[in-house]
Amino acid sequence: MVGNWKMNGDRGSIAVLLSGIRAASRDRAAAGAATLVVCPPYPYLAQAAQALEGSGVQVGAQDVSSYEAGAFTGEVCASMLIDAGCAWTLVGHSERRMLLGESDALVAAKGRRALAGGLGLIACVGETLEEREQGRTEAVLARQVDALGELAASARADRFVLAYEPVWAIGTGRTANPEQAQAAHAFIRARCARAGFADADSIRLLYGGSVKPSNAASLFAMPDIDGGLIGGASLVSEDFMAIARCAAPAA
Ligand code: 13P
């Protein structure tokens, strides 16, 4: 269960959020059996790693550079993220693909650096409303998954996670219904196998897009939905933990 905090919070509000998550995660029965990861903005990664040390809750970054260390102004490379206490990074979030023009090739290059540097990878895919309405959902997902195929050799299932986030469901309050999400997840899993991922059956596939405590259980009950990538609701520790409790334990 991954919380993507996006560009929200400050040192004070993040301290409150972290202590709420830490307190709730102490009680494993209350926290549920899911692996928990939070992805704060860059300046707060070390703060999060320190606050969550020993809690079992892991820290992830929201992005990683496609370059190694050196003269790349504004970039943050995988080794720095590990140094700051990260175990994971997101790549390919639709906000970055759309607002910052990140291509499939750049997403794959970032993924390659992350895995090579020792980070676990959470790669995001998903179609826009226009693409869905034009009947192009599967073509878009196929293109995005195929672009990650070059990672298949280096991506073990315990370090490679895919997140399906239909763009039209992100921050809109409009969730994909469980059947829509399941259909996309089943397609993505099959496409992973075709793209060369030997352990496609055990790759964890997260659903993201307006997940709330009220709709989480019905989504996570679907056979190919292994967890969630939570935006807005992950900014409230009680909501994030309530969603986490809806996740089935890893098989
Ligand atoms: P919301 O949960 O706010 O819809 O955001 C989903 C998301 O983009 C997580 O990465």
Side-chain angles (χ1 to χ4, degrees):
M1 195 63 51
V2 181
N4 175 10
W5 296 356
K6 307 192 180 182
M7 197 166 71
N8 290 295
D10 56 27
R11 203 140 58 111
S13 68
I14 282 175
V16 172
L17 185 49
L18 289 166
S19 76
I21 291 171
R22 186 179 177 100
S25 66
R26 249 184 229 126
D27 180 354
R28 289 313 294 173
T35 303
L36 299 179
V37 179
V38 295
C39 301
Y42 280 145
Y44 309 112
L45 289 172
Q47 179 189 356
Q50 194 178 20
L52 295 172
E53 201 177 352
S55 70
V57 181
Q58 301 176 56
V59 176
Q62 297 175 18
D63 186 36
V64 63
S65 181
S66 60
Y67 298 101
E68 277 192 88
F72 302 102
T73 302
E75 290 287 274
V76 179
C77 61
S79 60
M80 292 174 178
L81 296 175
I82 289 174
D83 207 20
C86 291
W88 296 90
T89 187
L90 300 173
V91 294
H93 194 282
S94 62
E95 287 153 10
R96 300 195 64 84
R97 290 181 188 263
M98 295 173 67
L99 300 171
L100 301 166
E102 292 200 358
S103 65
D104 292 332
L106 179 59
V107 173
K110 290 181 170 191
R112 195 165 55 237
R113 284 283 185 212
L115 289 169
L119 287 167
L121 186 66
I122 304 161
C124 307
V125 298
E127 81 288 359
T128 63
L129 183 59
E130 188 186 13
E131 288 162 343
R132 175 164 283 265
E133 286 176 344
Q134 291 172 348
R136 290 166 52 213
T137 298
E138 291 194 347
V140 169
L141 295 177
R143 193 200 75 224
Q144 292 174 336
V145 171
D146 290 355
L148 297 167
E150 63 170 282
L151 306 178
S154 54
R156 298 194 323 261
D158 60 341
R159 294 178 55 222
F160 180 77
V161 175
L162 271 171
Y164 170 61
E165 297 205 307
V167 177
W168 47 272
I170 295 177
T172 59
R174 188 176 160 190
T175 322
N177 67 43
E179 291 72 27
Q180 280 174 320
Q182 165 58 28
H185 281 228
F187 178 82
I188 290 167
R189 198 180 292 288
R191 196 74 192 189
C192 282
R194 225 180 110 163
F197 290 88
D199 45 7
D201 283 346
S202 46
I203 290 176
R204 284 168 290 183
L205 302 182
L206 311 182
Y207 170 79
S210 297
V211 179
K212 306 273 179 277
S214 56
N215 60 24
S218 60
L219 287 160
F220 301 155
M222 292 289 146
D224 286 298
I225 302 182
D226 304 312
L229 178 53
I230 319 303
S234 72
L235 296 169
V236 178
S237 61
E238 292 82 3
D239 287 353
F240 183 58
M241 299 310 281
I243 291 169
R245 284 194 294 277
C246 296

